[in-house]
Amino acid sequence: MTDASRGGDGQSDLDLIARWRRGDERAAAELVARHAQALARFAGSFGAADDVDDLVQDTFVRAFQSLDGFRGESSFRTWLFTIERRLLLDRRRAEKRRPIRVEVQEGDASTEYDALDRMVAGEAAGRVQQAMKQLSPTQREVFTLRVAQGLSYREIAELVGTTEGAARVHYHNAMRAVKEYIDD
Amino acid sequence: MTDCPNAEMRDRLPDLLHERLDSATRAVVTAHVENCAECRAELTLIREAHVALVSGVRSVDVTVIARQVVERTRAPLTTATRQPEHRAARAALLDWRVAASIAVLVVGGGSVFLMRGNRGDRRPPAVSPVATLEAPRVGSSTAVAERPVHHESTTAAMPASAELSAGGEVGDLSETDLRALLRELNGMDAVPSTEPEPVAVRVSLPGSGGSE
């Protein structure tokens, strides 16, 4: 496996974190530059569309404010994913509690997103998306983390809060279900 | 679409897509995929799924996010940097509080000790709870009345001069006090008409032939 936590300048995430702790703001900017797009993709793969910038920003702020909790047992990116996932779940819970007021108008961000999504993703990708809707929430999450983010089973297990073996089983079950849907 | 029986190779397909394999492993997996139709089909499916999952995600402005993140986290970082100074100031304040408390205790305790010492000078010497009043002799017999008396009630019942004479050392009295005491003693009856009040005073009665 290659080390995704080392940038082109040869500095690891841990080096940058140490510099940030000493007050070097450029180190923070470098960490953001290194992981922001991955966090945006991660958020997007879980359905976040409108407020991805805010979500990514909040994730970094939360991470930098609680760096003492980062023990370095997983990669920094996996830790960021964990924080972002929690933020996403919190937001979804908050949205569920909020009174529903749906006033969809032409030109809404969500409408644009769907149209853009369909255009870019193509027919094959559209079929995969439909297939993924048949999956259980856990299967979908594990499949997304494995396919969209390329995380290892160990990282997925840490993120989702399960075992490595269970993550592997969820992934293969999800893959089988997607294949069956597409074959039908 | 069937599954390749080589589960290890299938497990590596997402890693191949995301270039998370070292060169040796990548060569092995690539060679397997070239010869395995099932794995090729699955790799294609994984690519399509990847596109489907990330295609709708617009890229974020990393520069703006970095600037805002740094601004939002700058204050806590500055606070954290200053934390040792705050801690030192707090520790110094605590030291001063402890020192002040000790000083108050020492001064207060010393004051109480001195006050007690002064009061102790005025307090009568340790008197047995049993006050003895020797009655005048009748013939050769000596009537000795003994009864327990509480010192404080006794002194409270006495006049000031008696308290003075009973409580303190005679040597501590001034000339004037001594004269007053003697005058008072001279005015006392030799034998009290009633049950005598308990007075812890040894009085010498003239003409009785002994000190009593």
Side-chain angles (χ1 to χ4, degrees):
Chain A
M1 291 267 184
T2 55
D3 185 6
S5 66
R6 197 170 282 276
D9 56 356
Q11 284 207 312
S12 70
D13 287 345
L14 293 177
D15 295 334
L16 292 171
I17 290 168
R19 279 175 51 197
W20 162 246
R21 279 179 163 154
R22 290 194 297 268
D24 186 351
E25 293 180 351
R26 286 173 303 175
E30 172 62 27
L31 282 168
V32 172
R34 195 177 281 187
H35 299 292
Q37 294 296 356
L39 284 172
R41 285 197 301 272
F42 182 81
S45 63
F46 282 96
D50 300 335
D51 52 356
V52 173
D53 286 84
D54 289 343
L55 187 66
V56 171
Q57 194 185 123
D58 289 347
T59 302
F60 277 110
V61 170
R62 182 78 65 90
F64 287 150
Q65 286 174 343
S66 55
L67 271 178
D68 291 340
F70 177 59
R71 297 184 296 274
E73 291 169 359
S74 59
S75 71
F76 184 61
R77 180 172 290 187
T78 305
W79 190 61
L80 289 172
F81 284 154
T82 308
I83 294 171
E84 189 176 42
R85 180 174 177 269
R86 281 191 205 133
L87 287 174
L88 261 170
L89 292 174
D90 288 346
R91 288 185 179 192
R92 283 181 184 168
R93 274 193 218 101
E95 282 170 6
K96 276 182 185 174
R97 284 195 293 269
R98 210 178 296 156
I100 301 170
R101 287 181 58 195
V102 183
E103 294 176 10
V104 181
Q105 295 176 355
E106 200 172 340
D108 270 359
S110 59
T111 312
E112 288 175 3
Y113 169 73
D114 290 341
L116 183 68
D117 183 46
R118 277 193 296 273
M119 188 174 69
V120 175
E123 191 181 344
R127 278 189 298 140
V128 174
Q129 279 184 331
Q130 289 299 318
M132 286 184 62
K133 287 179 181 173
Q134 317 302 316
L135 303 177
S136 72
T138 309
Q139 284 177 343
R140 195 182 310 129
E141 184 170 24
V142 171
F143 187 82
T144 301
L145 291 169
R146 185 80 178 122
V147 170
Q149 307 301 328
L151 298 187
S152 68
Y153 293 122
R154 182 169 161 270
E155 290 169 328
I156 293 170
E158 284 175 16
L159 234 163
V160 178
T162 185
T163 62
E164 202 174 325
R168 180 179 276 107
V169 169
H170 282 308
Y171 169 75
H172 285 293
N173 286 342
M175 179 59 81
R176 189 174 298 119
V178 170
K179 283 179 180 175
E180 285 172 3
Y181 182 87
I182 290 171
D183 286 342
D184 289 345
Chain B
M1 200 182 293
T2 54
D3 291 341
C4 170
N6 191 335
E8 188 183 343
M9 288 298 127
R10 287 180 59 211
D11 261 348
R12 299 284 170 88
L13 295 178
D15 297 326
L16 181 67
L17 178 70
H18 289 277
E19 299 180 348
R20 293 193 70 177
L21 297 174
D22 58 58
S23 56
T25 309
R26 186 169 61 241
V28 172
V29 175
T30 305
H32 173 83
V33 170
E34 285 174 357
N35 297 311
C36 176
E38 289 89 355
C39 281
R40 275 203 306 278
E42 188 164 323
L43 185 60
T44 304
L45 179 61
I46 291 170
R47 277 205 185 95
E48 290 172 353
H50 178 257
V51 170
L53 289 168
V54 303
S55 61
V57 182
R58 60 182 172 81
S59 60
V60 291
D61 192 335
V62 174
T63 311
V64 172
I65 290 176
R67 192 178 63 243
Q68 289 178 342
V69 166
V70 167
E71 282 175 6
R72 284 175 65 184
T73 53
R74 185 177 289 152
L77 188 68
T78 311
T79 307
T81 311
R82 285 180 186 165
Q83 208 167 7
E85 292 174 19
H86 284 297
R87 279 184 186 163
R90 203 176 299 164
L93 185 62
L94 185 65
D95 289 346
W96 275 108
R97 284 178 181 166
V98 170
S101 301
I102 291 171
V104 166
L105 285 173
V106 167
V107 171
S111 302
V112 169
F113 179 77
L114 288 174
M115 285 173 66
R116 282 186 177 175
N118 291 337
R119 198 179 300 166
D121 290 341
R122 288 197 303 272
R123 193 174 291 171
V127 178
S128 168
V130 178
T132 304
L133 179 65
E134 292 182 16
R137 279 184 190 170
V138 178
S140 62
S141 67
T142 302
V144 176
E146 286 189 7
R147 59 175 177 169
V149 177
H150 194 271
H151 174 72
E152 287 184 7
S153 61
T154 306
T155 53
M158 288 190 300
S161 57
E163 184 184 0
L164 182 64
S165 62
E169 298 266 343
V170 177
D172 294 340
L173 298 175
S174 65
E175 187 85 11
T176 315
D177 291 337
L178 276 172
R179 286 176 192 279
L181 177 61
L182 286 172
R183 270 198 306 276
E184 206 164 305
L185 287 173
N186 287 335
M188 283 182 173
D189 293 331
V191 179
S193 57
T194 58
E195 189 70 18
E197 287 294 329
V199 178
V201 176
R202 187 177 293 271
V203 181
S204 296
L205 299 173
S208 62
S211 71
E212 293 180 327

